[in-house]
Amino acid sequence: MFDITYIVMLVAIGIGGGVIGSIIGVGGGIIFTPILTLMGLPPTQVASTSLVAVAFTSISSVTSYARQRRIKYAIASKLAVLSIPGAVLGAYLSTMISVDYFKLFFSILLIIAVGYILLSSRMKHSIAEKKTRLNPYPLLYCCAFAAGVVSSLFGVGGGIIFVPILLILMRMKMYEAAPASQFIIMISAIAGLAIHIMLGHPHYVYALSLASGAFAGGAIGAELSAYLKERLLRILLS
């Protein structure tokens, strides 16, 4: 039995999460996952249901970003492919984690992400000053795999890892990092979601409610991002 109030609420949350997720490149999962957890869903349903909405957000925003020619496909496609094995693993790991640990690890993940983005500007300047010639790609590729795991385990899409590493390691601007992140999220989310569906995890009524709003929100956010300043984008991400 489903409460129509929940459906309307989830559509509205989907729109808001889609807009914010598209603008800052994180896919909206950082909003969807806590809401679904508070609604009492188990970790497997939280992750998979959120991932449906994240996938719709990314598809919608990638379409808009592609039309604006803002996606750096060369690096985004490599990271997307490397995130797929992690996304598959994350879907299976979600069946093994308790609700308490799910909440704990997700909270830690968000705190770390905020720290990354707040310090990313200083870190980039420090790297530039030292003129380091270390190859960033090995670490970048390892992070892509880890982000795939996080994507399917928590249903967040992995953008809270992809955006900071693109900012820090690749020295991108938010204007560039968000579209690239959304492209990677689209691939990893679809891969992880396929496994979740095979395992019968998603709550389809809630998922489609969130997704319908997220699809619209993703397109709106992608258009708005072209008019927002770099500093504001960083504040939003933090």
Side-chain angles (χ1 to χ4, degrees):
M1 186 175 181
F2 304 112
D3 190 335
I4 189 63
T5 304
Y6 276 7
I7 306 303
V8 174
M9 179 188 72
L10 288 173
V11 171
I13 291 170
I15 294 172
V19 170
I20 297 298
S22 178
I23 288 175
I24 62 178
V26 298
I30 55 173
I31 295 174
F32 306 145
T33 292
I35 293 295
L36 293 168
T37 302
L38 289 172
M39 290 174 66
L41 272 63
T44 51
Q45 279 198 331
V46 169
S48 57
T49 302
S50 176
L51 210 55
V52 173
V54 168
F56 273 79
T57 301
S58 60
I59 291 170
S60 177
S61 58
V62 163
T63 301
S64 295
Y65 284 134
R67 189 175 64 253
Q68 298 172 36
R69 298 184 179 181
R70 290 173 52 189
I71 302 173
K72 292 186 176 293
Y73 291 104
I75 185 62
S77 58
K78 291 177 183 177
L79 295 180
V81 170
L82 290 167
S83 72
I84 292 175
V88 172
L89 177 61
Y92 283 105
L93 289 177
S94 70
T95 64
M96 306 174 188
I97 189 171
S98 68
V99 174
D100 289 337
Y101 279 115
F102 182 87
K103 292 178 181 178
L104 174 63
F105 292 145
F106 185 69
S107 300
I108 293 171
L109 183 68
L110 291 182
I111 292 169
I112 292 172
V114 170
Y116 263 129
I117 203 61
L118 287 176
L119 297 174
S120 64
S121 182
R122 291 182 182 178
M123 291 175 69
K124 286 199 298 182
H125 289 313
S126 176
I127 290 172
E129 288 173 1
K130 292 178 181 178
K131 295 182 179 180
T132 179
R133 295 188 178 184
L134 292 176
N135 185 354
Y137 289 99
L139 178 57
L140 195 67
Y141 295 155
C142 289
C143 287
F145 176 83
V149 175
V150 169
S151 172
S152 292
L153 178 57
F154 296 108
V156 296
I160 53 177
I161 294 179
F162 288 127
V163 173
I165 64 174
L166 289 172
L167 291 173
I168 296 169
L169 297 180
M170 299 307 295
R171 304 182 190 179
M172 287 184 179
K173 299 288 187 181
M174 274 297 298
Y175 182 84
E176 301 169 316
S181 176
Q182 283 292 339
F183 180 83
I184 303 165
I185 289 171
M186 180 180 70
I187 303 301
S188 63
I190 291 173
L193 185 58
I195 303 301
H196 276 299
I197 291 174
M198 287 173 57
L199 296 173
H201 291 166
H203 189 302
Y204 289 105
V205 173
Y206 290 168
L208 293 176
S209 300
L210 273 175
S212 61
F215 188 82
I220 294 169
E223 296 297 328
L224 286 176
S225 69
Y227 303 98
L228 298 177
K229 294 182 179 180
E230 172 87 5
R231 185 180 179 186
L232 178 58
L233 291 177
R234 286 181 178 275
I235 292 172
L236 283 172
L237 180 56
S238 300

